[in-house]
Amino acid sequence: MGWALLGVGLLLALYTLLRHGLRSAPRPRARPELRGRTAIVTGGSSGIGAATALELARCGARVILATRSARRGEAAASRIRRETGNNEVLFMHLDLASLRSVRAFASTFLRQEPQLHLLINNAGVSAGGTTEDGFSLPFQVNHLGHFLLTQLLLERLRSCAPSRVVIVASSAHCAGRLRPECLGRPPSGLFSTFQDYCDSKLANVLHARELATREQGTQVTCYAVHPGFVSTSLFRHAPLWLRALLVPLAWLLFLEAAEGAQAVLACATRDGLEPLSGRYFTRGGPRAPWPAGRDDRLARQLWEGSERLLGLGTPRG
């Protein structure tokens, strides 16, 4: 028994040493002054979104936590106000799985808030399923709902420019296979849920690319960012057997939410990024996305297809 306990103790010690040895400490960075600036963070009640909102509040920004759960959203806003001493942190209801909710949020925000300088499109899901609007859940929450939200708030971003849109993407875009004629439909196959997630992340990268192209000259800039592999609740809907494998792996190798938020915050606040609008970023800075993420024709088709699905605008010739 004693030897068994000793073995377990040694394994735990080795596990902890590996965890800290494989992860580098984040570099300290100067805190920008954001007083007088307003930010929206979708999914701001937990994970990367909450860590991003906390830091923006510490910088003095007025921060809107746009999240689905009123209980978690109000609790997160209260916690951030208490920790930062910034009383301009508010919860507003937003359910990206409902286009009606997206429109209601935008209408309320535009009526109540005169300014918008930062839109952080962070919320995401990896679960399968179909929304009330008839689209696949990952595609709508991760891309289509954010696309609609951005379009509805774009004029306010322009009027408050210089302003930025930051889209939390993922290196999973490498496996994305968007087909313009099938946008919004769940893919088929054994790993359809994973494919759906990867497709939505490719859509994030292409959305940033096309938005930057269309907003040239307006001082609205846009960035897609892979925050790293972060230990969050994103994969809470994974099967139990898969979660049993992911939990120790995440503890050993994945970043904390505050570490993952650093890449998002850099794209939101770092000076001099304007010439890099539309680019894909990682924690190490701008990187070339996988080939599909550099396809301007596919980016344009995704934009026009998203507009058609939402009944917005008219396609460009």
Side-chain angles (χ1 to χ4, degrees), residues 4-214:
L5 289 173
L6 178 61
V8 169
L10 288 172
L11 284 172
L12 286 172
L14 178 61
Y15 193 63
T16 303
L17 286 171
L18 280 171
R19 180 175 188 255
H20 291 285
L22 288 169
R23 291 168 50 192
S24 57
R27 298 177 192 170
R29 60 187 283 272
R31 188 166 284 157
E33 175 56 60
L34 298 178
R35 293 187 191 281
R37 299 180 72 77
T38 299
I40 292 173
V41 182
T42 70
S45 64
S46 63
I48 295 172
T52 300
L54 176 66
E55 189 61 24
L56 292 174
R58 280 182 175 142
C59 296
R62 181 175 178 83
V63 183
I64 309 299
L65 306 183
T67 191
R68 183 169 55 91
S69 168
R71 179 180 60 82
R72 290 196 299 269
E74 294 285 11
S78 176
R79 177 179 60 81
I80 293 171
R81 288 194 297 267
R82 186 171 61 251
E83 288 187 26
T84 64
N86 182 346
N87 289 322
E88 294 193 273
V89 181
L90 309 171
F91 158 76
M92 286 180 64
H93 179 262
L94 171 66
D95 182 359
L96 289 157
S98 166
L99 298 179
R100 179 177 52 185
S101 175
V102 175
R103 290 188 170 94
F105 171 89
S107 176
T108 302
F109 177 87
L110 292 172
R111 186 172 63 253
Q112 295 180 356
E113 299 289 334
Q115 298 190 78
L116 178 60
H117 304 92
L118 293 172
L119 175 58
I120 314 291
N121 289 337
N122 160 80
V125 298
S126 62
T130 304
T131 68
E132 66 181 43
D133 302 291
F135 302 113
S136 86
L137 183 64
F139 184 80
Q140 179 165 330
V141 171
N142 299 352
H143 166 67
L144 198 62
H146 279 127
F147 181 90
L148 176 60
L149 179 66
T150 304
Q151 291 300 97
L152 294 175
L153 299 177
L154 196 51
E155 194 54 49
R156 182 61 52 84
L157 286 163
R158 288 171 182 156
S159 69
C160 296
S163 55
R164 295 183 181 184
V165 179
V166 180
I167 301 174
V168 178
S170 168
S171 60
H173 78 273
C174 68
R177 297 196 307 257
L178 285 176
R179 292 183 296 166
E181 70 277 9
C182 299
L183 288 180
R185 298 183 210 161
S188 57
L190 183 61
F191 300 104
S192 60
T193 299
F194 176 71
Q195 185 63 56
D196 211 358
Y197 176 76
C198 295
D199 292 350
S200 72
K201 294 291 107 179
L202 174 57
N204 291 158
V205 175
L206 293 171
H207 179 198
R209 193 173 184 90
E210 183 68 9
L211 178 59
T213 298
R214 291 173 181 249

